[in-house]
């Protein structure tokens, strides 16, 4: 089965450090999302790309977060500087619009980030 | 902005009992998707509903989309321990039909 690959799986970092999370979407998918999951806030949409172009990042704290797709095989989410409140699981998901009606979006296994 | 609410937050059932989770949106939805997340795992797509009043079944799972397209439900008949996890509904955000807003999820625990 095709998978969305996220690296690293786990990251522990000190407050103030830069964190970069990577995602390899499924080959051929034209849509990529970044979500953040916490117990308190649930699944929050951070960024949305279509054909590598950023369409929405309104859910992302602009002062410290940035998301890019340098090419079709790589999406990145960067936090600089990181803060303890950024501790969460970050998921990348990809899909093929409009076919996602039958197949939905495929999530990666996530990056569990802990900022101490 | 649009909100998608799910109830209950948690549900404990004895194996073999039925389970239902409900999803309500503050706005009319063009479609609704359901996902399942196992403990420690990631959300996995289950199904999408599009039509008003639509009902779809997957083995012991029955999904419904309300007539007004503002609510949906997932019913599991005769739960099994493999059904354990959190069930999320997700609807499109505003006019961006492909951006999903997730409900808070219902965590199902099944006692053998």
């Amino acid at each position: 089965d095709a998978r969305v690959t996220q690296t690293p799986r786990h990251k522990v970092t000190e407050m103030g450090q830069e964190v970069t999370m990577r995602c390899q979407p499924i080959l051929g998918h034209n849509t990529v999302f970044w979500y953040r999951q916490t117990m308190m806030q649930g699944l929050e949409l951070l960024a949305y790309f279509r054909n590598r172009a950023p369409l929405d990042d309104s859910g992302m704290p602009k002062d410290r977060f940035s998301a890019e797709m340098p090419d079709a095989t790589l999406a990145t989410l960067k936090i600089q500087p990181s803060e303890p409140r950024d501790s969460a699981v970050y998921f990348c998901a990809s899909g093929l619009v409009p076919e996602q009606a039958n197949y939905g979006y495929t999530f990666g296994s996530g990056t569990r980030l802990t900022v101490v | 902005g649009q909100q998608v609410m799910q109830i209950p937050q948690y549900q404990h059932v004895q194996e073999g009992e039925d389970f239902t989770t409900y999803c309500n949106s503050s706005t009319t939805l063009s479609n609704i998707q359901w996902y399942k997340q196992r403990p420690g795992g990631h959300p996995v797509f289950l199904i999408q509903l599009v039509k008003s009043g639509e009902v779809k079944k997957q083995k012991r799972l029955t999904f419904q989309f309300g007539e007004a397209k503002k609510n949906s439900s997932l019913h599991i008949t005769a739960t099994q321990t493999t059904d354990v996890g959190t069930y999320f509904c997700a609807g499109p955000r505003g006019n961006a039909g492909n951006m999903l807003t997730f409900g808070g999820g219902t965590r199902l625990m099944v006692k053998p």
Side-chain angles (χ1 to χ4, degrees):
Chain A
D1 286 342
R3 293 184 180 186
V4 174
T5 303
Q6 287 188 247
T7 56
R9 289 293 308 274
H10 303 272
K11 176 73 176 178
V12 180
T13 191
E14 291 185 346
M15 182 173 61
Q17 295 298 306
E18 177 179 300
V19 176
T20 299
M21 290 168 270
R22 293 176 174 81
C23 167
Q24 181 177 358
I26 290 174
L27 188 65
H29 280 186
N30 58 7
T31 303
V32 173
F33 299 95
W34 282 103
Y35 282 91
R36 173 170 65 182
Q37 187 174 39
T38 61
M39 289 293 292
M40 294 299 294
Q41 300 296 327
L43 278 162
E44 301 174 274
L45 178 65
L46 297 177
Y48 166 45
F49 292 82
R50 173 72 59 80
N51 296 320
R52 294 177 54 202
L55 294 190
D56 192 288
D57 60 2
S58 57
M60 202 162 65
K62 301 293 191 303
D63 56 338
R64 299 182 299 107
F65 284 61
S66 62
E68 296 179 343
M69 276 201 77
D71 61 62
T73 64
L74 178 64
T76 63
L77 180 66
K78 189 174 294 186
I79 308 174
Q80 168 64 18
S82 58
E83 297 180 2
R85 60 180 167 150
D86 301 328
S87 297
V89 180
Y90 291 81
F91 287 108
C92 173
S94 74
L96 179 61
V97 173
E99 282 77 5
Q100 90 289 352
N102 292 322
Y103 305 106
Y105 296 105
T106 303
F107 280 73
S109 298
T111 293
R112 181 174 295 275
L113 174 65
T114 303
V115 183
V116 298
Chain B
Q2 180 216 40
Q3 290 190 356
V4 178
M5 310 294 290
Q6 270 185 267
I7 56 171
Q9 272 190 292
Y10 305 94
Q11 184 80 57
H12 292 257
V13 300
Q14 192 74 36
E15 188 173 22
E17 292 181 338
D18 292 356
F19 160 77
T20 304
T21 174
Y22 300 92
C23 180
N24 293 289
S25 170
S26 57
T27 59
T28 301
L29 300 170
S30 59
N31 64 79
I32 193 158
Q33 295 188 2
W34 285 90
Y35 289 77
K36 176 184 177 181
Q37 183 176 21
R38 295 182 185 275
H42 55 276
V44 174
F45 175 74
L46 294 176
I47 209 161
Q48 174 167 295
L49 304 172
V50 177
K51 300 175 184 176
S52 169
E54 188 171 13
V55 178
K56 286 189 177 180
K57 292 191 175 184
Q58 290 180 349
K59 297 182 180 178
R60 295 178 294 103
L61 277 61
T62 302
F63 303 84
Q64 288 189 313
F65 202 8
E67 294 290 340
K69 301 182 75 172
K70 294 181 74 174
N71 58 74
S72 181
S73 65
L74 158 60
H75 180 82
I76 303 178
T77 303
T79 55
Q80 300 175 359
T81 54
T82 53
D83 296 324
V84 164
T86 301
Y87 293 85
F88 293 96
C89 63
R93 174 186 290 186
N95 294 322
N98 299 303
M99 285 175 52
L100 292 182
T101 297
F102 279 79
T106 296
R107 183 178 174 188
L108 172 64
M109 289 155 279
V110 180
K111 187 175 181 181

